[in-house]
């Protein structure tokens, strides 16, 4: 993780049409991919806050196309928010343009920077299986369902693919096998059990992609990174936080809604952090799952097809397996993709995913019954 001195960030901030003079810039350590900073400015007695992000170019080879997607998608969502009488300053990400009119800045070393208006609120990494957790899960699912609905009329042919084969689980499995074979960091011996688990679970990899290939599952413009912490929640005195704005739009591209619903299941039903080391704390909660189904279907009932509905209950298991494969692959390759903060961080993350896959397998019938009940 590159450290940046605030002098450099001040210079970058000068390129954007922000209000006031920069007072300070602080690294914001949430998210595994981009470098994010909170920048505070003042003009007279007024204070302003912005989010600055350096787009990870190892992960996103074409930041220009990515920013083009974000411009189009936020434009469409803004129209929809206004139509329904919402507040476009907090219910959609607002890019701040550069002084030269561009919506991103390419610095001298070829790094791509963007700036958003700061949205006040909180992010939530995981929820507990209680009334508050259920309300949060339900609100998150409504937000992602609405996101899907807001984008249903966008012209998919104008949306770029920002990462090839992002949710192609069979390709992720092949890459995992190559990483095991190469064993470039001599770590495979340590993770023999996890490798064995992946080989035994490989039946899951084609469950969604085969139906995409056969044309049964439609391709739409989807978010593709619907972790619960990619929503900003508003804290209202006494009540449970309510979902305000879907963020992290770097992976918006053509995809299947099953991976979106699935990733929400992966990150919301686990009742523990993604990197929890104590696996006895990692479990799957059916009440939270039901809250997600209720919430997602609310805006999606017209949109979700019968074929998609039939895979809704297994979608979480597929993407949790995929994410486990990705963490384990990165561990085997020497932690090159996901930002890590401790030794074995990716391995700890992979282990929680495999535990969760097992929990979901044990509750397969109950999950299907819940989907049918709300269908
Ligand atoms: P990553 O791809 O690294 O996860 P994100 O776009 O999700 O990057 O941003 C990382 C974090 O920065 C978010 O989890 C959130 O806490 C914060 N953040 C991003 N955009 C905004 C915004 N417009 N307003 C307030 N906070 C934001
Ligand atoms: C990354 O950017 P962030 O932290 O929201 C990753 C997701 C993974 C997730 C696992 C572009 O999401 O695909 O599911 O970590 N994003 C990218 O926590 O690879
Ligand atoms: Mg994020």
């Amino acid at each position: 993780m590159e450290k940046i001195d605030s002098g450099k960030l001040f210079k970058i901030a000068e390129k954007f049409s922000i209000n006031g003079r920069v007072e300070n810039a602080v690294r914001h350590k949430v998210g595994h991919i981009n470098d994010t900073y909170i920048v505070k400015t003042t003009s007279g007695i007024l204070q302003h806050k912005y989010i600055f992000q350096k787009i990870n170019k190892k992960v996103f080879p074409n930041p220009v196309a990515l920013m083009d997607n974000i411009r189009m998608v936020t434009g469409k969502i803004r129209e929809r928010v206004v139509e329904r009488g919402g507040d476009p300053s907090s219910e959609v990400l607002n890019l701040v343009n550069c002084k030269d009119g561009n919506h991103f800045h390419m610095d001298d070393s070829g790094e791509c920077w963007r700036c958003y208006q700061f949205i006040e609120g909180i992010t939530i990494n995981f929820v507990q299986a209680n009334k508050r957790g259920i309300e949060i899960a339900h609100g998150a699912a409504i937000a992602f369902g609405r996101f899907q609905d807001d984008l249903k009329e966008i012209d998919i042919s104008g949306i770029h693919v920002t990462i090839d084969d992002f949710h192609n689980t069979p390709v992720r499995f092949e890459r995992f096998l190559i990483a095991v074979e190469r064993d470039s960091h001599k770590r495979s011996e340590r993770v023999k059990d996890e490798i064995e688990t992946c080989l035994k679970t490989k039946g899951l990899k084609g469950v969604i992609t085969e139906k995409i290939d056969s044309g049964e599952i439609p391709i739409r413009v989807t978010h593709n990174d619907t972790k619960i912490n990619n929503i900003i929640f508003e804290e209202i005195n006494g009540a449970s936080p309510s979902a305000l704005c879907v963020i992290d739009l770097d992976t918006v591209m053509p995809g299947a809604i099953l991976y979106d619903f699935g990733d929400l299941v992966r990150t919301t039903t686990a009742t523990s952090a993604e990197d929890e080391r104590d696996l006895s704390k990692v479990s799957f909660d059916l009440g939270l799952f039901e809250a997600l189904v209720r919430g997602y279907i609310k805006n999606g009932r017209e949109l979700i097809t019968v074929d998609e509905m039939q895979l809704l209950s297994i979608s979480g298991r597929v993407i949790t397996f995929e994410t486990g494969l990705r963490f384990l692959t990165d561990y085997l390759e020497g932690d090159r993709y996901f930002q890590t903060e401790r030794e074995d961080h990716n391995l700890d993350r992979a282990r929680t995913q495999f535990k969760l896959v097992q929990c979901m397998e044990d509750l397969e019938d109950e999950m299907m019954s819940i989907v049918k009940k709300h269908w």
Side-chain angles (χ1 to χ4, degrees):
M1 191 186 306
E2 193 217 359
K3 282 219 175 82
I4 190 166
D5 64 85
S6 41
K8 182 167 178 201
L9 201 56
F10 279 35
K11 275 206 185 116
I12 283 156
E14 271 173 15
K15 303 285 176 193
F16 288 84
S17 297
I18 53 175
N19 284 317
R21 200 165 46 85
V22 177
E23 289 298 329
N24 66 42
V26 180
R27 177 82 200 257
H28 182 59
K29 282 199 201 157
V30 182
H32 300 339
I33 303 295
N34 293 315
D35 288 351
T36 300
Y37 301 86
I38 298 175
V39 171
K40 289 187 183 162
T41 69
T42 52
S43 53
I45 53 158
L46 293 178
Q47 293 199 319
H48 310 274
K49 256 161 116 181
Y50 299 93
I51 284 281
F52 275 77
Q53 287 183 313
K54 186 176 86 178
I55 299 170
N56 184 330
K57 66 178 179 192
K58 273 197 290 181
V59 170
F60 298 106
N62 189 350
V64 177
L66 177 159
M67 289 306 295
D68 203 32
N69 280 357
I70 293 186
R71 196 179 43 78
M72 285 188 276
V73 165
T74 53
K76 176 47 95 181
I77 298 174
R78 188 167 306 106
E79 275 172 27
R80 297 291 307 267
V81 169
V82 171
E83 271 167 32
R84 61 175 167 261
D87 176 1
S89 72
S90 61
E91 293 175 34
V92 58
L93 281 172
N94 285 287
L95 282 168
V96 177
N97 279 350
C98 292
K99 288 174 181 157
D100 65 9
N102 210 349
H103 49 294
F104 59 86
H105 167 66
M106 208 58 95
D107 73 13
D108 298 341
S109 43
E111 300 287 358
C112 183
W113 289 85
R114 68 169 165 238
C115 171
Y116 287 123
Q117 300 278 0
F118 189 90
I119 299 172
E120 290 296 342
I122 56 162
T123 51
I124 296 173
N125 289 321
F126 64 96
V127 299
Q128 302 292 347
N130 54 25
K131 182 170 173 280
R132 178 185 157 94
I134 285 177
E135 284 170 2
I136 294 172
H138 185 242
I142 289 181
F144 278 120
R146 191 189 295 128
F147 178 88
Q148 198 55 60
D149 191 59
D150 285 347
L151 295 184
K152 68 179 179 225
E153 278 154 15
I154 205 164
D155 176 13
I156 194 167
S157 66
I159 299 291
H160 311 277
V161 172
T162 59
I163 302 180
D164 287 327
D165 291 319
F166 191 59
H167 288 311
N168 187 333
T169 318
V171 167
R172 296 287 184 187
F173 188 76
E174 288 309 310
R175 290 182 190 161
F176 156 74
L177 291 180
I178 293 169
V180 174
E181 175 74 25
R182 288 201 183 131
D183 198 14
S184 58
H185 286 67
K186 302 280 166 279
R187 289 175 165 179
S188 69
E189 187 60 26
R190 282 196 61 205
V191 292
K192 269 198 319 222
D193 291 351
E194 287 75 13
I195 293 173
E196 193 56 34
T197 303
C198 292
L199 297 175
K200 273 201 287 209
T201 320
K202 72 174 183 190
L204 274 180
K205 66 184 160 78
V207 168
I208 299 176
T209 50
E210 278 162 18
K211 301 228 167 188
I212 294 175
D213 295 344
S214 68
E216 286 160 272
I217 297 293
I219 292 298
R220 314 165 188 271
V221 177
T222 52
H223 185 285
N224 295 301
D225 192 0
T226 54
K227 283 206 305 210
I228 191 161
N229 84 358
N230 283 326
I231 293 180
I232 293 182
F233 288 84
E234 191 179 13
E235 280 199 295
I236 305 163
N237 285 348
S240 301
S242 91
L244 187 61
C245 184
V246 168
I247 61 167
D248 205 346
L249 306 179
D250 299 331
T251 50
V252 172
M253 58 181 149
I257 60 167
L258 290 164
Y259 280 103
D260 274 8
F261 181 73
D263 211 27
L264 190 56
V265 172
R266 174 181 82 79
T267 55
T268 309
T269 57
T271 67
S272 64
E274 190 184 58
D275 58 358
E276 174 59 58
R277 274 184 276 211
D278 177 356
L279 289 183
S280 71
K281 292 189 183 149
V282 182
S283 62
F284 175 90
D285 185 77
L286 277 174
L288 291 170
F289 178 72
E290 180 155 15
L292 292 179
V293 173
R294 275 194 297 119
Y296 201 70
I297 289 182
K298 200 166 187 167
N299 282 305
R301 195 178 293 278
E302 307 286 302
L303 218 64
I304 305 172
T305 66
V306 173
D307 290 314
E308 285 171 325
M309 202 66 96
Q310 265 154 357
L311 293 182
L312 220 51
S313 62
I314 202 173
S315 64
R317 188 144 51 106
V318 174
I319 193 167
T320 307
F321 174 54
E322 178 188 286
T323 310
L325 279 173
R326 292 176 63 197
F327 286 141
L328 191 57
T329 303
D330 200 29
Y331 176 75
L332 290 165
E333 291 178 341
D335 308 313
R336 297 185 313 189
Y337 186 95
F338 296 104
Q339 293 181 357
T340 53
E341 272 157 32
R342 60 177 194 243
E343 213 174 308
D344 292 348
H345 208 164
N346 273 317
L347 176 57
D348 295 336
R349 291 169 175 155
R351 286 181 172 145
T352 61
Q353 303 306 293
F354 299 139
K355 167 87 191 274
L356 199 54
V357 169
Q358 185 58 57
C359 297
M360 292 190 211
E361 191 180 327
D362 296 343
L363 291 168
E364 188 178 350
D365 294 343
E366 288 83 347
M367 288 167 80
M368 191 47 151
S369 305
I370 287 172
V371 171
K372 285 194 175 140
K373 180 172 137 195
H374 293 282
W375 191 330

